[in-house]
Amino acid sequence: MIMGRKPNTEQRRGQIVEALRAEMAEIGYERASIKSIAARAGLAPGLLHYHFPSKEAILLELVEALICQADNRYEELASPQATPVELLGTFVKARVGLGGKPEDEQVRTWVNLMAEAVNQDVVKERVAAWLSGSLEELAANFRAANVKHPEAKAAMLVSMILGAFQLHALSVEGVPRGYAAEEIGGWLRQVCATG
Amino acid sequence: MIMGRKPNTEQRRGQIVEALRAEMAEIGYERASIKSIAARAGLAPGLLHYHFPSKEAILLELVEALICQADNRYEELASPQATPVELLGTFVKARVGLGGKPEDEQVRTWVNLMAEAVNQDVVKERVAAWLSGSLEELAANFRAANVKHPEAKAAMLVSMILGAFQLHALSVEGVPRGYAAEEIGGWLRQVCATG
Amino acid sequence: MIMGRKPNTEQRRGQIVEALRAEMAEIGYERASIKSIAARAGLAPGLLHYHFPSKEAILLELVEALICQADNRYEELASPQATPVELLGTFVKARVGLGGKPEDEQVRTWVNLMAEAVNQDVVKERVAAWLSGSLEELAANFRAANVKHPEAKAAMLVSMILGAFQLHALSVEGVPRGYAAEEIGGWLRQVCATG
Amino acid sequence: MIMGRKPNTEQRRGQIVEALRAEMAEIGYERASIKSIAARAGLAPGLLHYHFPSKEAILLELVEALICQADNRYEELASPQATPVELLGTFVKARVGLGGKPEDEQVRTWVNLMAEAVNQDVVKERVAAWLSGSLEELAANFRAANVKHPEAKAAMLVSMILGAFQLHALSVEGVPRGYAAEEIGGWLRQVCATG
DNA sequence: AATGAATGAGCATTCATTCAT
DNA sequence: AATGAATGAATGCTCATTCAT
């Protein structure tokens, strides 16, 4: 009976995707080469094309992983019996709440991912679809809270988060620490209160 | 009197910078090659390095041009006797006010510029310095309007604009047309009224 | 047990260095291009940068190889119980003794290497250090033979060899075959005899 | 009556040749570009090809100038009633006698010229022809002084000078200052005395 | 004579991808 | 599964030469 090797494909794919993520946080997608990704993953360069058909394919899997991660973070924080307004606050917390050093890297990863999405159609489609879904859900919550222009509010909320990430990644002086969570929260309360 | 050939460097530099801008709007900085920029400008590839020492130098000149353009747009709209609150509104209008097709390209240019800034240090420094200056001015206006946490408010305002640009560039469905100007304006009014 | 592909870098590096050597003998370092070196080695151009980080790195390895070769030739000829005067004669023989067609190529290689050393600092340093060591050893032998101004004599001996190589490489008419070995030998005998 | 401009071609050609000489002393012929030569000469790049058909043509004129200069230096020092032995000493003095800082540059110029001669056929031919003439004259003097193997002695003398130049250009440690004039002179005396 | 722009081939180098082992 | 070699197209850049003024 032939036993063969226990397939470790999933582990390898994870390693590779994680290595790309780290590279993207540091230098961006274009500057990351198969060789540098392999080096970071501790693998031979040739192996990357055994597990993935192309560099783009690794990126697409990374997109899935990041989206999944983000969705999970939200779902973990969201209690089933929460009100729409509470859910909106939870969304903000799930996106900008963490703080600390590792977040820097996460932010850079996301910013570089978005940058790539703007120019690479396959990525753009996937990210846009995901964001579209988020917008819909957010809009539904705003609507349930009787907020006017719920779609616009949802778009604004997402814009605030995206923009805060970018400003953070640019290391601009004069930006108060933790301003985003605070201010977005304030905006949210005001918007939901006023209607 | 020896005349020789009249220099046309300024014109050519302008052509080249504009070609890079167009390329960046379409495919981003990394994907734009000297060859493709030259083709768009209708010039021989070698000529680009006659007028610029490097590809990066073209980018840096483009950064200056875009910053200058943005600053001018604000200054043109800002009346000298405007109140701080009015100036804040003017800032928003100068950034997100235009509308129309050509704006799409402008937004894509800016988004790709910011993306490049995140990973290329020289660009990052220049952009961060500029943004820092904007933040300072905005904060001063918020402060003059007796708004609490003026630095945070300034950072939030800039974040909203950056984020709105990115969301726009991603062509996400479900984003209402012109939401940004409307919503940022609303936030601004509310924030300045409450203090 | 995973085997993968066996490394053949050492062999390839040798091939490449040898190809550069041949190119240098024929056209010099600057005129030798990665493409021409690759063609001579029968390899794809891209492969050269897989095995070496740069063209300069190939040159530096060639320098080492040539120096090593030259040192070996001397050490093989030098008997352990030889007198200082004999060792000086051996040195001359090791450098100019061979004769025959292949020597032409060797001489051209060395002359082009020295030419490159004059203008390329890394090469210059290495070559100068090696020559300095040779001078020291030669001077010690002259000193042991009670020759006056041993350092000057050593420098003169090396100059004679370098100059003879250059004259040879220039294919000047009227230069008697084998004059260098003969005349340097004569000088050496006279110098060591007189003191 | 048409007057036109007084032609200044000769002056310009001189400027250009001198600029190439300086560039060669500093970085060598290959690394010297038309642009850098023009900059050093204080001229527009395009002008170089007005006065010379090619970069090689400048080099060839430089070769003529240097040869002419060297010949003049010898002829100035050589008294008409000098003995053959004295003329040989004069030759050495004319080549290696000067000393001082500017000589460093001259030496580097010559060494780089010889390096170029080895690989560029037109230059090689010219230099070889000139050296051949020098060898003949030197051999005649050795012969007149009843020295054995006059051609070999002449070749040795030239080799010594070429080699000393190269050793000098390599900035090798442990080389006594002014060794060449001293040692070549000694060799000459010994050789002419013994016969 | 002179200027400075323009051209296009060539350079070293990078890199995603493929292949032999 | 895995390794490391191999490929060849592409990139930014340099440069001798030509050209319009």
Side-chain angles (χ1 to χ4, degrees):
Chain A
M1 182 176 152
I2 297 158
M3 274 296 296
R5 211 185 322 265
K6 187 173 67 183
N8 59 351
T9 296
E10 276 321 306
Q11 184 205 331
R12 284 282 180 260
R13 287 175 68 99
Q15 260 181 285
I16 294 166
V17 167
E18 163 56 21
L20 172 58
R21 197 204 53 69
E23 284 287 290
M24 282 189 65
E26 212 162 277
I27 53 176
Y29 177 76
E30 305 282 353
R31 286 171 165 81
S33 67
I34 291 289
K35 212 179 156 189
S36 72
I37 300 167
R40 197 182 278 267
L43 302 171
L47 198 53
L48 271 64
H49 277 90
Y50 179 80
H51 291 291
F52 290 93
S54 68
K55 191 183 167 191
E56 194 189 78
I58 311 178
L59 177 58
L60 286 173
E61 186 133 322
L62 172 57
V63 172
E64 291 310 318
L66 288 172
I67 285 178
C68 182
Q69 216 168 82
D71 283 349
N72 284 345
R73 203 151 49 210
Y74 173 63
E75 274 153 34
E76 275 168 23
L77 293 173
S79 103
Q81 60 265 44
T83 66
V85 173
E86 283 169 346
L87 284 176
L88 290 166
T90 302
F91 184 84
V92 174
K93 216 174 296 173
R95 293 293 175 268
V96 301
L98 297 86
K101 194 65 210 295
E103 187 169 3
D104 267 39
E105 223 201 332
Q106 281 185 49
V107 167
R108 288 187 60 90
T109 305
W110 271 102
V111 169
N112 272 307
L113 175 60
M114 292 296 171
E116 204 48 36
V118 168
N119 292 312
Q120 205 159 331
D121 281 345
V122 226
V123 182
K124 183 179 194 165
E125 261 166 59
R126 183 63 187 97
V127 170
W130 176 63
L131 285 178
S132 187
S134 295
L135 284 178
E136 220 168 293
E137 193 179 335
L138 292 169
N141 283 330
F142 277 117
R143 199 174 297 113
N146 284 316
V147 174
K148 270 181 276 186
H149 309 305
E151 291 86 5
K153 291 292 185 299
M156 201 66 246
L157 179 49
V158 168
S159 295
M160 286 170 167
I161 295 167
L162 288 177
F165 274 29
Q166 205 164 70
L167 198 57
H168 183 98
L170 289 168
S171 326
V172 179
E173 261 179 81
V175 175
R177 254 209 165 281
Y179 80 98
E182 188 82 18
E183 292 295 328
I184 299 179
W187 172 77
L188 208 51
R189 274 190 299 280
Q190 192 275 326
V191 153
C192 291
T194 317
Chain B
M1 177 76 176
I2 299 151
M3 269 303 294
R5 186 171 179 163
K6 244 175 289 170
N8 65 345
T9 292
E10 276 321 306
Q11 184 204 329
R12 282 282 180 263
R13 284 175 70 99
Q15 257 182 280
I16 293 165
V17 166
E18 162 57 21
L20 172 58
R21 198 203 53 68
E23 284 286 290
M24 281 189 66
E26 209 160 280
I27 53 176
Y29 177 76
E30 305 282 354
R31 286 171 165 77
S33 68
I34 291 290
K35 213 179 153 190
S36 75
I37 300 168
R40 193 181 281 266
L43 302 171
L47 198 53
L48 271 64
H49 281 95
Y50 179 77
H51 293 291
F52 287 95
S54 66
K55 190 184 167 192
E56 191 189 85
I58 312 178
L59 177 58
L60 287 174
E61 187 134 318
L62 174 57
V63 172
E64 290 309 319
L66 289 173
I67 284 178
C68 183
Q69 220 168 79
D71 283 349
N72 285 345
R73 202 150 51 209
Y74 173 63
E75 274 153 35
E76 275 168 24
L77 293 174
S79 104
Q81 59 263 43
T83 64
V85 173
E86 283 168 345
L87 284 175
L88 290 166
T90 302
F91 185 85
V92 175
K93 216 174 296 174
R95 293 291 175 269
V96 301
L98 297 88
K101 191 68 210 291
E103 187 169 3
D104 266 37
E105 225 200 331
Q106 280 184 50
V107 167
R108 289 186 60 90
T109 305
W110 271 103
V111 168
N112 270 308
L113 175 60
M114 292 296 172
E116 202 51 33
V118 168
N119 291 314
Q120 203 161 331
D121 281 345
V122 226
V123 181
K124 183 180 196 162
E125 259 169 58
R126 182 64 187 95
V127 169
W130 177 63
L131 286 178
S132 185
S134 296
L135 285 178
E136 221 169 292
E137 194 180 334
L138 293 170
N141 283 330
F142 277 117
R143 199 176 296 115
N146 284 316
V147 173
K148 267 180 277 183
H149 309 306
E151 292 86 7
K153 292 292 185 300
M156 201 65 245
L157 179 49
V158 168
S159 295
M160 285 169 166
I161 294 167
L162 288 176
F165 274 31
Q166 206 163 72
L167 198 57
H168 183 99
L170 288 169
S171 327
V172 179
E173 262 179 80
V175 176
R177 256 211 164 277
Y179 81 99
E182 188 80 19
E183 291 296 327
I184 300 178
W187 171 78
L188 208 51
R189 273 189 301 280
Q190 192 274 328
V191 153
C192 291
T194 319
Chain C
M1 178 74 178
I2 298 151
M3 269 304 294
R5 187 171 175 160
K6 244 176 290 169
N8 63 345
T9 293
E10 276 321 306
Q11 183 204 331
R12 283 283 180 263
R13 284 175 70 99
Q15 257 182 281
I16 293 165
V17 166
E18 162 57 22
L20 172 59
R21 199 204 52 68
E23 284 286 289
M24 281 189 66
E26 209 160 281
I27 53 176
Y29 177 75
E30 305 281 353
R31 285 171 166 78
S33 68
I34 291 289
K35 214 179 151 188
S36 74
I37 300 167
R40 194 181 280 267
L43 303 172
L47 198 54
L48 270 64
H49 280 95
Y50 179 77
H51 293 291
F52 287 95
S54 66
K55 190 183 166 190
E56 193 188 84
I58 311 178
L59 177 58
L60 287 174
E61 187 134 320
L62 173 58
V63 172
E64 290 309 319
L66 289 173
I67 284 178
C68 183
Q69 218 168 81
D71 283 348
N72 284 344
R73 202 150 50 209
Y74 173 63
E75 274 153 34
E76 275 168 23
L77 293 174
S79 101
Q81 59 264 43
T83 66
V85 173
E86 284 168 345
L87 283 175
L88 290 166
T90 302
F91 184 84
V92 175
K93 215 173 298 174
R95 293 290 177 271
V96 301
L98 296 86
K101 192 67 212 293
E103 187 169 4
D104 266 37
E105 225 201 331
Q106 279 183 52
V107 167
R108 290 186 59 89
T109 304
W110 271 102
V111 169
N112 271 308
L113 176 59
M114 292 295 172
E116 202 49 35
V118 169
N119 292 313
Q120 203 161 331
D121 280 346
V122 227
V123 181
K124 183 180 196 162
E125 259 167 60
R126 183 63 187 96
V127 170
W130 178 63
L131 285 178
S132 187
S134 296
L135 285 178
E136 220 169 293
E137 194 180 334
L138 292 170
N141 283 330
F142 278 117
R143 198 174 299 114
N146 284 317
V147 173
K148 270 181 275 185
H149 308 305
E151 291 87 5
K153 292 292 184 301
M156 200 66 245
L157 177 50
V158 168
S159 294
M160 286 170 167
I161 294 167
L162 288 176
F165 274 30
Q166 206 163 70
L167 198 57
H168 183 100
L170 288 168
S171 328
V172 179
E173 261 180 81
V175 175
R177 256 212 164 278
Y179 80 99
E182 188 81 17
E183 292 296 328
I184 300 179
W187 172 78
L188 207 51
R189 275 190 299 280
Q190 191 275 326
V191 152
C192 291
T194 319
Chain D
M1 181 177 152
I2 298 158
M3 275 294 297
R5 209 187 322 266
K6 187 173 67 182
N8 60 350
T9 295
E10 275 320 306
Q11 184 204 333
R12 285 280 180 264
R13 289 175 68 98
Q15 261 180 284
I16 294 165
V17 167
E18 162 57 21
L20 172 58
R21 197 204 53 69
E23 285 285 290
M24 281 188 66
E26 212 161 276
I27 53 174
Y29 177 76
E30 305 283 353
R31 286 172 165 81
S33 67
I34 292 288
K35 211 179 157 190
S36 73
I37 300 166
R40 197 182 277 266
L43 301 172
L47 199 54
L48 270 65
H49 276 91
Y50 179 79
H51 291 291
F52 289 94
S54 67
K55 191 184 166 190
E56 193 190 79
I58 312 178
L59 177 58
L60 286 173
E61 186 134 323
L62 173 58
V63 172
E64 291 310 319
L66 288 174
I67 284 177
C68 182
Q69 218 169 80
D71 283 349
N72 285 344
R73 202 152 50 212
Y74 173 62
E75 274 153 34
E76 276 169 23
L77 293 174
S79 103
Q81 61 265 45
T83 65
V85 172
E86 283 169 344
L87 284 176
L88 289 166
T90 302
F91 184 84
V92 174
K93 217 175 295 172
R95 294 291 176 269
V96 302
L98 297 88
K101 193 67 209 293
E103 187 169 5
D104 267 37
E105 224 201 331
Q106 281 185 48
V107 167
R108 288 186 59 91
T109 305
W110 272 102
V111 169
N112 270 308
L113 175 60
M114 292 296 172
E116 204 49 35
V118 169
N119 291 313
Q120 204 160 330
D121 281 345
V122 227
V123 181
K124 182 180 195 164
E125 261 167 58
R126 182 64 188 95
V127 169
W130 175 63
L131 286 178
S132 187
S134 295
L135 284 179
E136 220 169 294
E137 194 179 334
L138 292 170
N141 283 329
F142 276 117
R143 200 174 298 114
N146 285 317
V147 173
K148 268 180 275 184
H149 309 305
E151 291 86 4
K153 291 290 185 301
M156 201 66 246
L157 179 49
V158 169
S159 295
M160 285 170 167
I161 295 167
L162 289 176
F165 274 28
Q166 205 163 72
L167 198 57
H168 183 100
L170 288 169
S171 324
V172 179
E173 262 180 79
V175 175
R177 254 207 164 280
Y179 80 98
E182 188 81 18
E183 291 296 328
I184 300 179
W187 172 78
L188 208 51
R189 274 189 301 279
Q190 192 275 326
V191 152
C192 292
T194 318

